[in-house]
Structures are given as structure tokens and as C-alpha cells.
Amino acid sequence: MNNNIHKRAYFIRYSYIENMETNLSSFEKKLCDNGIDVRWIDNNDQLVDFLRSDSVCTKRINNKMCFDMPIPNGLIDSSSNVIKSVSLDDLENNIDSAEVLITKADFGIVETGSVVLFNHQSCHCFNKIEHLIIILNINDLLIKNEDLGIMLSLYDFDTLNGKQHVINVISKPYDVITSNNYGYDQEELYTTQKVKVTLLFYNNGITDILNNEKIRESLYCINCGRCSEVCPVYNINHEQSPIDLIKNNCFSKSQKDSSIFSACMLCGNCDNVCPVMISFSDLLLAEMETIATHDPESVWHEFGKNSCKRQKINKYNGKILKFILLKRLYKNNKTLYNYYLSQPEEFFNIQNEKENAE
């Protein structure tokens, strides 16, 4: 793909992220002016509280909700029948019904005050519900409408199995047909009902990342999934993608651990495929440095300290040093240990072009 498109995409994300507060305020005003209910949600607990609130659960029992996203942890209590989950397939095929549909937006457009959903199965169900709740991460906005075309062009359509691509743009509450009949003159008459639309601005640690100059660039992510596809560790354990590893330590203090060291081999594959040119290796090294600095007694300290300078990384490529390093770092993780051991001698393959030129 043309490198100019990647540079343009990087600039688009940079322009929004670096002026996030102003852009969010403008976007919120346009949504409210268009009749969309806007709420701010900081974390999963607040999301659960809102979905259980009277404004969503209008009945005492059996409030039917359909999710086009993972169901929030703790929302559905097996001992309670307040909320019933309805599958998307059942709703789409009219096997069951639901009053509320919860989905997650891909982008918001500040200029038009609209929300964009790309290839969502739930788009076939928008006319089957009374209340549409859209969750939008506060970093997933674009300033101009024309930016959307550039962003969508960065997705790998070959991985979408040849399906027809559907883009839904929602900017205000919409009408759905609730019944139809014929008058005396055989003219078809329709009864419509307006669907309530609520947009939840979801923070989930994003402002903490925004205030962290070392890893702010990770917010440029467009959730295309390419870093996961090329990550050798993620393809073994399927736990955390490279972008997740970078953001992990900002979400809660309980997650500030050394898992990044056992889940990243600093291969640099994610650098090569990122369509918005996020500097994955630099950001991962910055996280390693932070953890190693905060825990100088840790076995990771020396490794983290050395890894912070790229020219030192390849000192571990000798067979004996590599064996010792792997024994020390991955003795309790045989899967990763065997994987790394089977790799070519230079298993840290990232290079700093500037250093090589010198």
C-alpha cells in the first residue's frame, strides 16, 4: 500500500488525539442537538450499572437485551431474571425478540456528529428493537467525514471472507415500522415508532494513556487486528495482542506486572504491518523500562534495562547466552520456551536504522 496513505492516516489520528478534549466536546454537542442521548462511562462497572438502570431496564423482570459485542462482566446474574440475553441470530431470524440492542461503534465523525458501524451483524436488527445503545471509545473519532474513506481503506478486506461490506451511519434517532395495514382505498398505511438512541462515551483508561507521553501514540490504533495476526506469541497463547500489551499497565494497578516480558519477543513484526505507523517496538520497550525501573529487585530488571537500548538486544543472540536467557525468563512457560528455542539464532530481529547507518 502507498506509504503516503499510511502517513496521512497517522496524521489523521494525531490531529484528533492531540486535541481530543475539544473534538469530544464538539461531537457531544452535535449528538445532543440531533436528539441522541449521551452518557459518559469510565469503566466496566459503570457500564453494568447503566445497563441495569431504570432508563434501560424498563421492566422488573425479563428485560431482553441483544449484544453485538462481548457481554460486560457481571451484567447477567444467574440468580436474577432481570436481564435476559437474546442472541443476534435469534433476533435477526425472528426466533426471539429484544427491546434493547447494544453494539460498539468503529468510528465517530466530529464534523457531522455521526457514528459509523462497519460490517456489524446487528445492522440487520436495527429495525427490530426499541432502544439502540452504541458504545464508542473516546479515542475512536475522526475529525472530518473525508477521513473515514482513508481509514476504511486500511482494513484488510481479504480477511473478511469475501462478504459484502456494510457501513451504517447513525446521526439521530430513526423511525421503524411497527405495523402496516390498508385503508378503504387500498392505500398501504404505516405506523412508525422512533427508536431511542443512546451513545456511551467509553473511557476505560484512555485518558490515563493520553496523559502518558511515552505511550500516547498507542491511541492512534484503529483496531484493524493486523498486529495480532503477525504476533508469534499471540498466535500461541491468544491472550494479549501487541497493542493490548502496551495499554495494559494503564488500566489498573493490579495489572502492573511483568507479563509483558513473557508475552513479547520484540520481533518487530507489528511495526511492519501497522497501517497507522504506530512505533510498537519503541512503546513496548518503554513499558518494559517502566516496569523494570519500578521493580529493581525483579528478575526482569536487567533484561528490561538492557532491552531499552536496541543496540544491546542482539547481544543475547549467542547460542549459550540465548539458552541462559530463555531458561531464566521462560522456565515456567514451556510453550514459549520451546518456541523461542526453535527460532533462528537472531530471534530479536528489530533493527534501528539510524544506529545501523552510523
Side-chain angles (χ1 to χ4, degrees):
M1 186 177 289
N2 192 326
N3 193 48
N4 288 333
I5 295 179
H6 291 270
K7 290 180 179 178
R8 173 63 180 162
Y10 184 92
F11 177 75
I12 288 171
R13 299 302 291 135
Y14 172 88
S15 299
Y16 170 72
I17 297 298
E18 297 305 316
N19 296 281
M20 185 186 290
E21 185 175 353
T22 300
N23 288 314
L24 274 172
S25 177
S26 175
F27 185 63
E28 180 183 19
K29 183 179 185 304
K30 289 180 180 178
L31 291 173
C32 293
D33 289 345
N34 289 337
I36 292 180
D37 182 31
V38 177
R39 306 292 180 96
W40 293 78
I41 305 295
D42 281 336
N43 49 48
N44 182 78
D45 290 342
Q46 290 186 14
L47 176 59
V48 168
D49 288 343
F50 173 74
L51 294 178
R52 286 178 174 171
S53 68
D54 293 340
S55 60
V56 180
C57 290
T58 57
K59 300 183 297 185
R60 303 184 81 177
I61 61 171
N62 260 358
N63 291 275
K64 293 184 177 181
M65 296 184 184
C66 182
F67 294 86
D68 189 14
M69 56 174 283
I71 299 176
N73 292 331
L75 175 64
I76 298 179
D77 187 350
S78 58
S79 63
S80 170
N81 59 354
V82 174
I83 298 174
K84 177 186 176 183
S85 175
V86 175
S87 74
L88 262 176
D89 288 337
D90 285 352
L91 182 61
E92 184 178 353
N93 296 314
N94 298 316
I95 297 173
D96 204 345
S97 62
E99 296 89 24
V100 183
L101 174 61
I102 299 99
T103 188
K104 199 166 187 178
D106 295 288
F107 295 107
I109 311 295
V110 176
E111 182 180 44
T112 58
S114 54
V115 182
V116 179
L117 298 98
F118 179 59
N119 280 348
H120 284 233
Q121 182 184 348
S122 59
C123 69
H124 304 294
C125 305
F126 288 168
N127 63 338
K128 301 176 185 288
I129 44 98
E130 302 171 5
H131 189 178
L132 176 63
I133 297 176
I134 304 172
I135 298 172
L136 177 65
N137 290 335
I138 61 174
N139 63 309
D140 288 339
L141 275 78
L142 308 173
I143 297 177
K144 298 181 179 179
N145 196 48
E146 64 188 39
D147 296 338
L148 179 62
I150 294 175
M151 287 299 153
L152 293 182
S153 72
L154 299 176
Y155 284 81
D156 187 359
F157 294 119
D158 293 336
T159 65
L160 298 177
N161 302 320
K163 295 181 180 178
Q164 184 177 4
H165 309 302
V166 179
I167 299 175
N168 292 92
V169 180
I170 297 175
S171 57
K172 60 183 179 180
Y174 56 92
D175 293 323
V176 297
I177 297 173
T178 55
S179 64
N180 60 333
N181 50 61
Y182 291 91
Y184 292 113
D185 57 357
Q186 295 301 305
E187 179 182 356
E188 192 169 9
L189 304 174
Y190 297 94
T191 302
T192 62
Q193 175 180 311
K194 196 169 290 295
V195 172
K196 180 180 180 180
V197 179
T198 299
L199 185 127
L200 304 181
F201 279 127
Y202 198 35
N203 189 335
N204 197 28
I206 292 170
T207 52
D208 291 332
I209 297 175
L210 184 67
N211 293 327
N212 187 326
E213 292 186 4
K214 284 188 176 181
I215 63 171
R216 181 187 296 176
E217 188 185 350
S218 64
L219 295 178
Y220 298 179
C221 175
I222 61 171
N223 304 308
C224 67
R226 293 189 186 180
C227 63
S228 300
E229 293 171 4
V230 300
C231 177
V233 183
Y234 182 81
N235 282 300
I236 291 174
N237 59 29
H238 299 287
E239 291 178 357
Q240 291 181 309
S241 67
I243 198 70
D244 291 334
L245 287 174
I246 293 169
K247 296 177 179 179
N248 181 51
N249 289 323
C250 278
F251 290 155
S252 72
K253 292 182 179 179
S254 62
Q255 291 180 318
K256 289 184 180 297
D257 54 37
S258 301
S259 62
I260 190 172
F261 293 100
S262 59
C264 176
M265 63 181 288
L266 291 171
C267 66
N269 291 343
C270 42
D271 284 306
N272 297 330
V273 300
C274 180
V276 290
M277 303 173 63
I278 294 174
S279 305
F280 276 91
S281 295
D282 288 339
L283 299 179
L284 288 162
L285 288 171
E287 281 297 276
M288 290 179 177
E289 180 181 20
T290 299
I291 296 170
T293 302
H294 289 170
D295 189 6
E297 302 301 322
S298 168
V299 296
W300 309 104
H301 180 63
E302 194 63 29
F303 174 70
K305 193 168 62 174
N306 288 338
S307 296
C308 296
K309 295 186 178 179
R310 292 188 175 190
Q311 66 267 31
K312 292 185 179 181
I313 292 175
N314 286 323
K315 287 186 178 181
Y316 294 110
N317 286 333
K319 291 182 179 179
I320 296 177
L321 286 175
K322 176 180 176 181
F323 176 78
I324 294 172
L325 180 67
L326 293 181
K327 273 289 188 182
R328 186 182 185 192
L329 300 183
Y330 306 114
K331 62 182 179 181
N332 295 323
N333 191 329
K334 295 300 181 184
T335 304
L336 288 181
Y337 174 80
N338 291 330
Y339 173 81
Y340 291 143
L341 200 62
S342 68
Q343 296 306 297
E345 191 168 318
E346 293 187 357
F347 64 109
F348 290 124
N349 60 35
I350 62 172
Q351 298 291 332
N352 188 318
E353 294 181 4
K354 186 178 294 185
E355 290 170 358
N356 290 339
E358 292 175 355

